[in-house]
Amino acid sequence: MGMVKYFPLALLISFALVCLVRAQDQSGFISLDSGLPANTSYTDQITGLYYISDASFINTGISKSISPDFRKSIFQEPLWTVRSFPDGLRNCYYINLTAGNRYLIRGTFMYGNYDGQGQVPDFDLYLGANMWDSVKLGQPSDIIYKEIIHVSSLNYIHVCLVNTGSGTPFISALELRPLGNDIYVTQSGSLALLTRWDTGATTNQTIRYKDDVYDRIWWPISYYRWTELNTNLDIKQFNDYRLPSSVMTTAATPIIANSSLDISVTAGNDTTQCYFYMHFAEVEKLQANQSRVINISLNGNQWYGPFSPEYLSSTTIYSKNFSTGDQHVSIYKTESSTLPPILNAFEVYKVIELRQSETGQEEVTAIMDIKSLYSITKNWQGDPCAPKEYSWEGLNCSYNDSNTPRIISLNLSSSGLTGEIAPYISNLTMLKILDLSNNNLTGPIPDFLSQLPFLTVLNLERNNLTGSVSVELIQRSNNGSLLLSVGENPNLCTSLSCEKKKNNIIIPVVASAVGGLFILLLIAAAIILIIKRRKQQGLVTVSFEVNNRSEQLESKKHQFTYADILRITNNFERVLGKGGFGIVYHGYLDGTQVAVKMLSPSSVQGYKEFHTEANLLMRVHHRNLTAFVGNCDDGTNLGLIYEYMVNGDLASQVSDQNAYILSWEVRLRIALEAAQGLEYLHNGCKPPIIHRDVKSTNILLNENYQAKIADFGLSKIFATDDANATHLSTRVVGTPGYLDPEYYTTNWLTEKSDVYSFGIVLLEIVTSRPAILKRPENAHISRWVSSILAKADIKRIVDPRLQANFNINSAWKVVDLAMACVSETATTRPTMSQVVMDLKQCLEVEIARTMENDETKSKDSIPEFGLNFTTGLRPTAR
Ligand SMILES: *[C@@H]1O[C@H](CO)[C@@H](O)[C@H](O)[C@H]1NC(C)=O
Ligand SMILES: *[C@@H]1O[C@H](CO)[C@@H](O)[C@H](O)[C@H]1NC(C)=O
Ligand SMILES: *[C@@H]1O[C@H](CO)[C@@H](O)[C@H](O)[C@H]1NC(C)=O
Ligand SMILES: *[C@@H]1O[C@H](CO)[C@@H](O)[C@H](O)[C@H]1NC(C)=O
Ligand SMILES: *[C@@H]1O[C@H](CO)[C@@H](O)[C@H](O)[C@H]1NC(C)=O
Ligand SMILES: *[C@@H]1O[C@H](CO)[C@@H](O)[C@H](O)[C@H]1NC(C)=O
Ligand SMILES: *[C@@H]1O[C@H](CO)[C@@H](O)[C@H](O)[C@H]1NC(C)=O
Ligand SMILES: *[C@@H]1O[C@H](CO)[C@@H](O)[C@H](O)[C@H]1NC(C)=O
Ligand SMILES: *[C@@H]1O[C@H](CO)[C@@H](O)[C@H](O)[C@H]1NC(C)=O
Ligand SMILES: *[C@@H]1O[C@H](CO)[C@@H](O)[C@H](O)[C@H]1NC(C)=O
């Protein structure tokens, strides 16, 4: 029990000892001798304080030495050099400290004719965003100290010198001293020192470190009505003010024993708030018949007392509340006291309200990082936004009364920037305007720029950026929410076609919850197996190889004359088919097969429109859209040239009349690819392109059975002379069997009309039956499917030639999806993005199944992944 009892006490004592040692060895002190050459330091002979150069705390200013005349007359080495700021309105020190700790911050100023001008300047001193004080020097030899006791909420402070037009600001020394957190506490604001007196001092020397562990400077003061009392004994310190013994061993007392010690403080005007700190210690050993009882009044009112100072022990009496205006303190003895009053030391501070908050720390960090990355000089010092009149050049901020300022605009145009676009910009989340034009920036345009929610102007002109402009930025630009300028970047791809390269990398399988690498391995294994197996079975093989041919063609796209067309088609030698807008011929362009669609003149609405639209189509690129090679606009001969799709259209390939049987997996892949093409038209193009004529004959297959959408965008400009395909109006609005029923009522085509048509295509893919059946006669495929669905018999819906060789869950899901697409009301149909996602899942399931099958067949080389792809895919109750 005893041990437990004494343990806390032991702790307390050792803690006090640690503190004492800490403060004695200047730990936490920051002592900057301004103007000292970089990386140099010294220990001051008088104070023992260790001073270092200020060079690493400020980027600006020049080092100067005071005139030798003045150096002779002072002993303090820190005053021998100054840092002078001939350039810039505001120059700032940036000093790391511990947020939430109380610091005494002191600037020292002695002109000493350092510039040989003999003109003593006046200037202002700021602490962060707020005015701290004005520095007014009378004589070249004047030494001015500006002290403030401050608690920073940030882990740094800016101390700034501001040129007010009365000469060049300079500073001699800048010091920070950590204080105890229980002393000099205010209700609000920070405490700027007005006076700190060592009353009753017997010398005319100031007292500071090492006598004062906090390095407060105590000025000796005497008055003709006062006399001194002192002791040779130490004054013990039992409070946190830790007053220096040398200050406390001397006390002032009035010469006339029964009069008072009076102190008047003029602190400014009536609104100035002051805090008083009075320090007492009895320095005389009183006799039994002696007493010293003190009463204190403030402005004539009783303030504190009566009390007797303790012998050789400090007592600090301070105003807990502030008082305002001129102050008159009177310290007097009570009637019963046999001895006059005493006062050992006295401090007065005025409150400085630091009302202007500084820019948020995250933004400051970001902009400081940008500053150092690009080595920006400008006037980028101190707080970026505050105070407003000194905010950084090229920055605009929002100031909402009490809120912290936010950076809303950053203009670094023509600033000689090199390297990549700084990632730190992503943390300037309130940015509305970003101008990085006319620099030497390289590398890609980072994605985060499209994530900045408020960005309305982005200027990247005249740089050397590479890569491509993201779809998001182009979309924001196209819909008017972003003013985007990217011109004169010679190696930057600025069109939508750049998206193509990106897309080619995407494997058409979602890596949802499973590791991406596993998926890749799976696919690789799947491809090998599928190809192997298909070869054995004599079925169609599928490959994931990216088809480079269309890219080769695209690079040569241009306008063709009618003579070119004749040469390409060898005088229209071979007809491939007859489409909605004319006849399609086979041809060769530079050895590559192409399809040339010659438009029947009667179908073209207007030549100008044709031209505009053809140019638009040239800019639309996707691996699941037939590549547009060029056009011919030669008199009345209008033609469009596309890549040639060897395997023709989906309608004939999937039909049960075709001898080849497309496997379930190939069907899913074709469906997914076609869906991706449509999804791109809807979401990847601005304005969105509505196909208006989605049908299985408009989905073409290349030699790898890769599906591509054809004839997109055409219905907008062309009428048709295909009697079979038109009714309702002279303009093409679709093909019977595929036409959105809601169109009849609203007369309004939307993306959802394409979704409806795609749903019909999906049903064709599943069933291998046409949109309008021959048996039962002229029945619509959707009616037929839903009648069988009512019996929940999926096997009768799917092409019977597949002989149940498919994952039943994925079949259910595709049919569900198709039925959702052909819903009567447009709003209940899914979007193409949803369709793409669902089809990807179905394809995953099927790939997993075929892999399993192959695994059971050839156990030799297949790794076991143990992935359950079928989770969440079940036939739904209907
Ligand atoms: C100061 O020291 C730093 C790091 O040690 C060095 O990079 C810098 O060049 C030095 N500056 C001078 C003026 O010596
Ligand atoms: C201030 O602290 C930061 C890290 O918080 C550091 O990168 C920087 O160098 C420090 N500055 C000085 C002058 O010590
Ligand atoms: C300081 O005190 C010394 C003696 O203690 C005296 O000679 C000197 O004149 C004083 N200086 C001032 C400026 O009062
Ligand atoms: C102070 O004492 C003197 C005599 O010692 C006396 O004349 C005077 O009235 C006293 N003043 C006060 C304010 O008590
Ligand atoms: C008092 O002085 C402060 C500056 O010290 C000033 O802002 C304020 O307006 C003054 N108030 C009056 C009433 O003069
Ligand atoms: C106090 O006592 C001392 C002797 O101890 C005596 O000399 C002195 O006169 C007394 N003073 C008063 C005010 O009674
Ligand atoms: C102290 O001063 C106040 C007001 O000046 C007075 O009311 C009070 O009586 C004094 N106390 C003593 C013990 O003299
Ligand atoms: C953005 O700020 C956060 C939080 O301060 C930081 O963790 C992140 O590294 C910053 N991002 C960049 C790119 O600097
Ligand atoms: C880019 O750098 C080159 C050479 O370094 C320089 O000639 C050119 O002026 C710079 N351009 C800009 C806009 O800063
Ligand atoms: C632009 O960058 C490329 C390398 O990416 C370089 O070859 C070229 O000289 C740069 N152009 C300019 C004007 O700096």
Side-chain angles (χ1 to χ4, degrees):
M1 285 297 280
M3 281 193 61
V4 175
K5 225 174 181 175
Y6 288 113
F7 189 58
L9 186 62
L11 261 186
L12 213 71
I13 290 163
S14 67
F15 176 70
L17 282 174
V18 167
C19 290
L20 204 69
V21 170
R22 233 186 65 135
Q24 285 295 347
D25 69 5
Q26 303 180 34
S27 147
F29 281 26
I30 297 171
S31 308
L32 307 181
D33 182 351
S34 300
L36 199 66
N39 296 347
T40 59
S41 63
Y42 62 89
T43 299
D44 183 56
Q45 291 190 353
I46 295 169
T47 59
L49 287 165
Y50 178 71
Y51 284 89
I52 59 173
S53 165
D54 64 340
S56 56
F57 298 83
I58 193 160
N59 300 325
T60 51
I62 49 175
S63 292
K64 290 282 184 178
S65 294
I66 61 167
S67 150
D69 303 343
F70 293 94
R71 193 189 280 206
K72 266 182 253 159
S73 63
I74 52 165
F75 301 100
Q76 290 157 285
E77 196 173 343
L79 304 181
W80 293 356
T81 58
V82 300
R83 180 170 294 271
S84 164
F85 303 98
D87 298 319
L89 269 188
R90 178 176 72 158
N91 288 273
C92 297
Y93 282 87
Y94 174 92
I95 301 173
N96 288 338
L97 43 67
T98 308
N101 276 11
R102 195 171 304 274
Y103 284 87
L104 183 156
I105 303 165
R106 176 168 49 226
T108 308
F109 306 87
M110 184 195 163
Y111 171 63
N113 200 19
Y114 75 84
D115 56 2
Q117 304 290 307
Q119 293 280 328
V120 182
D122 288 349
F123 48 91
D124 283 349
L125 198 56
Y126 274 71
L127 188 62
N130 293 276
M131 173 85 167
W132 166 3
D133 210 342
S134 291
V135 178
K136 294 190 193 306
L137 295 142
Q139 298 296 319
S141 58
D142 283 357
I143 303 171
I144 299 277
Y145 296 93
K146 293 294 178 186
E147 278 190 21
I148 192 165
I149 294 175
H150 176 66
V151 179
S152 174
S153 59
L154 305 169
N155 59 17
Y156 58 82
I157 54 154
H158 290 118
V159 175
C160 306
L161 294 95
V162 171
N163 190 326
T164 53
S166 308
T168 301
F170 73 91
I171 186 167
S172 305
L174 183 59
E175 297 162 309
L176 275 83
R177 311 293 182 229
L179 300 177
N181 269 344
D182 299 326
I183 57 175
Y184 305 109
V185 177
T186 57
Q187 285 178 332
S188 68
S190 298
L191 293 178
L193 182 68
L194 288 175
T195 53
R196 184 185 292 119
W197 291 328
D198 175 11
T199 46
T202 48
T203 69
N204 53 14
Q205 298 296 312
T206 56
I207 291 172
R208 60 184 293 184
Y209 190 81
K210 294 177 177 174
D211 287 356
D212 189 327
V213 294
Y214 294 136
D215 192 27
R216 286 161 294 196
I217 300 178
W218 300 89
W219 282 269
I221 186 168
S222 60
Y223 184 53
Y224 73 98
R225 286 181 176 166
W226 297 355
T227 185
E228 295 87 33
L229 297 176
N230 62 73
T231 175
N232 293 326
L233 300 170
D234 262 5
I235 307 284
K236 293 181 209 72
Q237 298 302 316
F238 290 117
N239 71 34
D240 291 335
Y241 286 90
R242 306 181 69 184
L243 299 158
S245 183
S246 54
V247 168
M248 295 306 286
T249 50
T250 61
T253 191
I255 293 171
I256 300 170
N258 61 359
S259 72
S260 57
L261 293 164
D262 293 302
I263 298 162
S264 283
V265 176
T266 304
N269 58 35
D270 282 352
T271 61
T272 309
Q273 304 169 356
C274 292
Y275 277 75
F276 292 83
Y277 296 84
M278 278 165 272
H279 309 289
F280 299 92
E282 182 57 78
V283 292
E284 291 185 320
K285 183 73 188 161
L286 302 191
Q287 304 302 310
N289 61 356
Q290 288 182 313
S291 69
R292 193 190 310 278
V293 186
I294 295 171
N295 217 350
I296 305 172
S297 72
L298 178 63
N299 300 330
N301 300 314
Q302 163 75 8
W303 179 32
Y304 192 85
F307 81 102
S308 295
E310 245 184 278
Y311 182 53
L312 300 183
S313 175
S314 294
T315 303
T316 293
I317 293 168
Y318 58 97
S319 55
K320 286 200 181 81
N321 297 309
F322 56 82
S323 39
T324 61
D326 280 1
Q327 310 294 322
H328 182 81
V329 176
S330 191
I331 302 167
Y332 58 98
K333 75 179 194 70
T334 60
E335 273 173 36
S336 62
S337 175
T338 63
L339 296 172
I342 55 167
L343 176 65
N344 305 60
F346 188 73
E347 296 170 87
V348 187
Y349 294 86
K350 76 173 178 187
V351 172
I352 299 204
E353 296 288 357
L354 306 173
R355 289 205 174 80
Q356 173 61 62
S357 45
E358 299 184 28
T359 312
Q361 187 144 11
E362 187 169 297
E363 286 186 2
V364 172
T365 306
I367 200 80
M368 297 282 277
D369 286 343
I370 292 166
K371 177 187 169 184
S372 89
L373 177 68
Y374 294 132
S375 305
I376 293 168
T377 47
K378 296 190 191 269
N379 68 340
W380 282 29
Q381 304 183 43
D383 191 83
C385 295
K388 194 175 186 174
E389 57 268 38
Y390 303 118
S391 69
W392 292 4
E393 187 188 332
L395 285 191
N396 277 328
C397 307
S398 64
Y399 304 87
N400 288 340
D401 294 341
S402 58
N403 293 340
T404 55
R406 305 294 302 266
I407 298 169
I408 56 170
S409 141
L410 174 58
N411 180 352
L412 286 175
S413 176
S414 310
S415 300
L417 310 186
T418 55
E420 304 206 340
I421 293 178
Y424 315 115
I425 293 172
S426 63
N427 271 351
L428 302 177
T429 50
M430 300 298 284
L431 269 193
K432 290 181 183 161
I433 300 172
L434 177 60
D435 187 347
L436 301 175
S437 63
N438 200 32
N439 286 298
N440 268 334
L441 291 171
T442 52
I445 298 178
D447 283 343
F448 67 74
L449 290 178
S450 59
Q451 314 294 319
L452 290 172
F454 304 107
L455 199 65
T456 53
V457 177
L458 176 59
N459 190 348
L460 303 173
E461 273 176 3
R462 296 194 294 288
N463 277 292
N464 198 3
L465 296 167
T466 50
S468 60
V469 183
S470 75
V471 177
E472 290 83 1
L473 286 177
I474 291 176
Q475 283 174 359
R476 279 175 70 172
S477 166
N478 285 349
N479 72 19
S481 67
L482 178 70
L483 190 59
L484 176 68
S485 316
V486 291
E488 297 182 56
N489 283 283
N491 300 316
L492 184 70
C493 183
T494 55
S495 73
L496 269 174
S497 62
C498 308
E499 187 55 9
K500 182 176 170 39
K501 291 192 185 74
K502 245 189 192 170
N503 278 342
N504 276 346
I505 304 161
I506 296 170
I507 305 286
V509 173
V510 275
S512 56
V514 202
L517 183 63
F518 268 7
I519 290 281
L520 282 176
L521 286 172
L522 261 178
I523 292 166
I527 295 165
I528 296 161
L529 288 169
I530 291 161
I531 292 170
K532 212 166 91 187
R533 191 160 58 100
R534 296 297 144 76
K535 274 183 184 149
Q536 286 162 2
Q537 296 175 2
L539 289 176
V540 176
T541 67
V542 176
S543 112
F544 279 83
E545 275 169 46
V546 176
N547 180 11
N548 287 325
R549 185 167 315 129
S550 56
E551 273 175 54
Q552 288 160 13
L553 283 174
E554 275 154 28
S555 63
K556 297 186 193 97
K557 71 185 154 213
H558 57 277
Q559 298 273 328
F560 296 91
T561 62
Y562 189 62
D564 293 331
I565 298 290
L566 290 176
R567 200 178 60 250
I568 290 167
T569 60
N570 198 14
N571 296 319
F572 301 118
E573 186 185 28
R574 182 176 150 204
V575 174
L576 289 172
K578 193 170 182 301
F581 313 106
I583 298 167
V584 186
Y585 300 92
H586 182 266
Y588 283 98
L589 178 58
D590 300 329
T592 306
Q593 298 186 82
V594 291
V596 179
K597 179 172 288 187
M598 292 311 290
L599 304 162
S600 61
S602 63
S603 74
V604 179
Q605 298 280 306
Y607 292 99
K608 188 162 170 264
E609 225 178 331
F610 164 79
H611 204 79
T612 316
E613 204 65 18
N615 279 334
L616 175 81
L617 294 182
M618 268 205 217
R619 296 206 300 272
V620 176
H621 293 276
H622 189 272
R623 70 183 187 288
N624 298 122
L625 299 178
T626 49
F628 190 60
V629 179
N631 64 27
C632 164
D633 180 9
D634 193 345
T636 57
N637 298 299
L638 301 181
L640 300 167
I641 304 173
Y642 294 95
E643 65 176 312
Y644 175 61
M645 301 292 279
V646 176
N647 277 313
D649 65 38
L650 172 64
S652 55
Q653 288 290 345
V654 82
S655 160
D656 56 8
Q657 308 299 308
N658 194 313
Y660 280 112
I661 306 165
L662 298 179
S663 73
W664 183 243
E665 189 199 314
V666 171
R667 290 176 201 230
L668 287 179
R669 196 180 303 287
I670 288 170
L672 172 62
E673 286 170 345
Q676 283 170 341
L678 268 184
E679 199 268 342
Y680 176 77
L681 290 176
H682 291 179
N683 300 326
C685 301
K686 289 284 166 183
I689 295 175
I690 301 170
H691 190 296
R692 298 169 191 231
D693 199 13
V694 175
K695 53 184 176 182
S696 50
T697 49
N698 272 341
I699 295 168
L700 305 181
L701 302 169
N702 71 6
E703 64 275 24
N704 296 321
Y705 281 79
Q706 187 185 3
K708 302 193 181 204
I709 303 266
D711 277 4
F712 49 91
L714 293 191
S715 53
K716 199 174 162 198
I717 39 170
F718 305 123
T720 180
D721 54 3
D722 185 347
N724 193 23
T726 177
H727 59 303
L728 293 178
S729 90
T730 52
R731 303 199 74 166
V732 167
V733 289
T735 303
Y738 295 89
L739 201 58
D740 175 6
E742 211 175 77
Y743 173 77
Y744 290 109
T745 50
T746 62
N747 213 30
W748 179 249
L749 277 170
T750 68
E751 286 98 325
K752 288 293 181 72
S753 306
D754 281 352
V755 173
Y756 178 88
S757 310
F758 183 77
I760 302 298
V761 171
L762 260 188
L763 292 177
E764 288 180 75
I765 291 173
V766 170
T767 62
S768 287
R769 293 163 192 260
I772 294 175
L773 306 179
K774 301 213 170 62
R775 261 175 304 116
E777 202 177 348
N778 284 340
H780 191 255
I781 192 167
S782 67
R783 291 268 161 73
W784 180 77
V785 170
S786 64
S787 72
I788 301 177
L789 271 182
K791 299 165 201 154
D793 192 351
I794 192 76
K795 294 214 173 81
R796 275 190 59 205
I797 296 173
V798 180
D799 183 357
R801 296 175 302 164
L802 287 174
Q803 299 177 337
N805 199 1
F806 54 87
N807 179 293
I808 200 118
N809 286 339
S810 80
W812 272 114
K813 192 162 174 108
V814 173
V815 173
D816 278 349
L817 181 62
M819 294 312 284
C821 289
V822 300
S823 160
E824 294 278 319
T825 43
T827 49
T828 58
R829 293 171 205 154
T831 62
M832 283 316 296
S833 312
Q834 186 64 48
V835 171
V836 166
M837 265 164 52
D838 285 2
L839 287 173
K840 276 178 179 171
Q841 277 181 22
C842 294
L843 182 57
E844 269 179 50
V845 171
E846 180 62 11
I847 287 176
R849 185 192 69 87
T850 53
M851 272 191 59
E852 259 168 44
N853 283 358
D854 283 314
E855 198 180 341
T856 53
K857 279 171 201 159
S858 55
K859 288 199 178 78
D860 44 13
S861 62
I862 315 300
E864 183 101 44
F865 291 103
L867 298 174
N868 181 7
F869 274 95
T870 56
T871 312
L873 286 173
R874 239 168 278 111
T876 50
R878 58 202 73 241

